[in-house]
Amino acid sequence: MEPKFNTRQLIKRALAEDIGRGDITTCAIIGREETGRARAIAKSPLVVAGLNVFAEVFLCLDPAMEISCFVAEGKRVNPGEILLTLKGNLRSILTAERVALNLLQRLCGIATLTRAYVDAVAGTGVKILDTRKTTPGLRSLEKYAVHMGGGCNHRFGLDDGILIKDNHLWAAGSVAAAIERARQAAHHLLKIEVEVKNLAELKEALAAGADVIMLDNMSLDQIKEAVGFTAGRVPLEVSGNVTLADVRKIAATGVNFISAGALTHSAPAADISLLLGADERG
């Protein structure tokens, strides 16, 4: 899976934001033609995501930059492992450093947290999903990182599927009315997912022909009751306040999907450094 949009456009905007009228510190200290080497090193355990994006930042400034990757996307690495090396113009390396690290640390952080959720539900058959709670402008990259962490992508945007949420239900007047309106507007290949907050709404959604039902902010007991009543008739997704501490208990109820906004809105940045100087890899 590759990001769905032109990452170079994003990178150019990020570089312009950081560089402004020029990197005055680097230009004052480093000669225009000076060259050197650098290596990106993991400083904490992490799952790799975004080395291609990291490399592209440097290539935007210097197409002649020599880049070598030493780990694969989606791979777990330990502190001290070299992720990537650079060889080229020193000004370009130092000027692009922060933007490149910001993106790589963000994406590896998401992939690492996602892998923790995926590992927590291993053996249950439950799929861990992301949400649209992403950084504006970075959704494609952040959902890519979820995928590299072993998670699955929910809809990418509002044009990617029908998901009837609480405010839609309020506007339509009822679960049944909202589903009926969606069914009339949708073509025959579109599935309809509806969010419910209690067993009464679940029953109404089933009777109205929902294809997927999201159990929103329900307690563990409510989720178990919903699974028992549904009896496999439609897939069930749990969402709302899902944490790493309780995701295994939720998965054990027999639901099909668990979506967690925390994968993208609360993932801590991975600890990665870019150090100048040659290493044994040359």
Side-chain angles (χ1 to χ4, degrees):
M1 174 186 173
E2 289 294 327
K4 288 177 67 174
F5 74 120
N6 188 339
T7 58
R8 182 164 278 242
Q9 293 176 0
L10 167 69
I11 289 168
K12 286 182 176 179
R13 289 196 299 269
L15 286 170
E17 175 185 61
D18 198 37
I19 296 170
R21 289 171 293 174
D23 181 355
I24 56 176
T25 306
T26 296
C27 289
I29 296 171
I30 307 298
R32 185 184 299 273
E33 303 301 325
E34 287 190 62
T35 61
R37 304 183 187 209
R39 58 200 186 277
I41 301 177
K43 304 297 289 294
S44 62
L46 58 85
V47 174
V48 177
L51 284 180
N52 50 345
V53 179
F54 183 81
E56 189 67 23
V57 177
F58 295 95
L59 292 173
C60 273
L61 285 186
D62 184 2
M65 187 72 64
E66 297 178 26
I67 302 170
S68 299
C69 294
F70 295 101
V71 294
E73 296 283 287
K75 182 179 183 291
R76 297 179 195 263
V77 301
N78 296 313
E81 288 195 51
I82 296 174
L83 309 178
L84 174 149
T85 60
L86 304 166
K87 181 181 178 182
N89 184 274
L90 266 181
R91 281 191 177 184
S92 297
I93 291 173
L94 291 173
T95 299
E97 174 184 3
R98 178 42 53 199
V99 169
L101 281 174
N102 283 350
L103 289 168
L104 184 61
Q105 289 175 309
R106 174 71 179 147
L107 299 184
C108 288
I110 291 171
T112 302
L113 181 59
T114 301
R115 184 65 58 81
Y117 273 79
V118 170
D119 288 347
V121 303
T124 66
V126 169
K127 292 184 177 180
I128 297 296
L129 309 178
D130 56 23
T131 71
R132 286 167 44 245
K133 295 177 181 177
T134 54
T135 308
L138 292 182
R139 179 170 295 170
S140 183
L141 293 180
E142 292 181 348
K143 282 182 171 284
Y144 167 77
V146 167
H147 181 70
M148 287 298 102
C152 298
N153 296 143
H154 211 298
R155 59 181 181 158
F156 183 84
L158 295 174
D159 63 347
D160 205 24
I162 295 177
L163 174 50
I164 302 169
K165 298 180 71 65
D166 55 352
N167 284 332
H168 298 116
L169 297 177
W170 181 89
S174 70
V175 171
I179 292 174
E180 177 58 25
R181 291 184 188 183
R183 186 70 69 194
Q184 290 177 0
H187 62 71
H188 68 287
L189 296 178
L190 268 181
K191 291 185 177 181
I192 296 174
E193 181 173 8
V194 61
E195 174 184 287
V196 302
K197 62 180 180 295
N198 52 48
L199 196 61
E201 288 187 347
L202 172 73
K203 292 177 179 179
E204 190 177 354
L206 284 169
D211 298 301
V212 184
I213 296 176
M214 177 188 290
L215 310 178
D216 182 52
N217 284 296
M218 288 192 182
S219 68
L220 200 60
D221 287 341
Q222 288 177 311
I223 294 170
K224 291 176 181 177
E225 189 175 5
V227 169
F229 183 83
T230 304
R233 283 176 282 176
V234 300
L236 294 177
E237 174 186 344
V238 169
S239 186
N241 297 315
V242 175
T243 67
L244 191 55
D246 62 18
V247 69
R248 179 80 188 188
K249 295 177 182 177
I250 296 172
T253 64
V255 296
N256 306 94
F257 308 103
I258 299 174
S259 56
L263 301 182
T264 50
H265 70 56
S266 295
D271 191 359
I272 302 168
S273 291
L274 185 69
L275 302 178
L276 288 179
D279 69 286
E280 65 276 9
R281 299 180 194 268

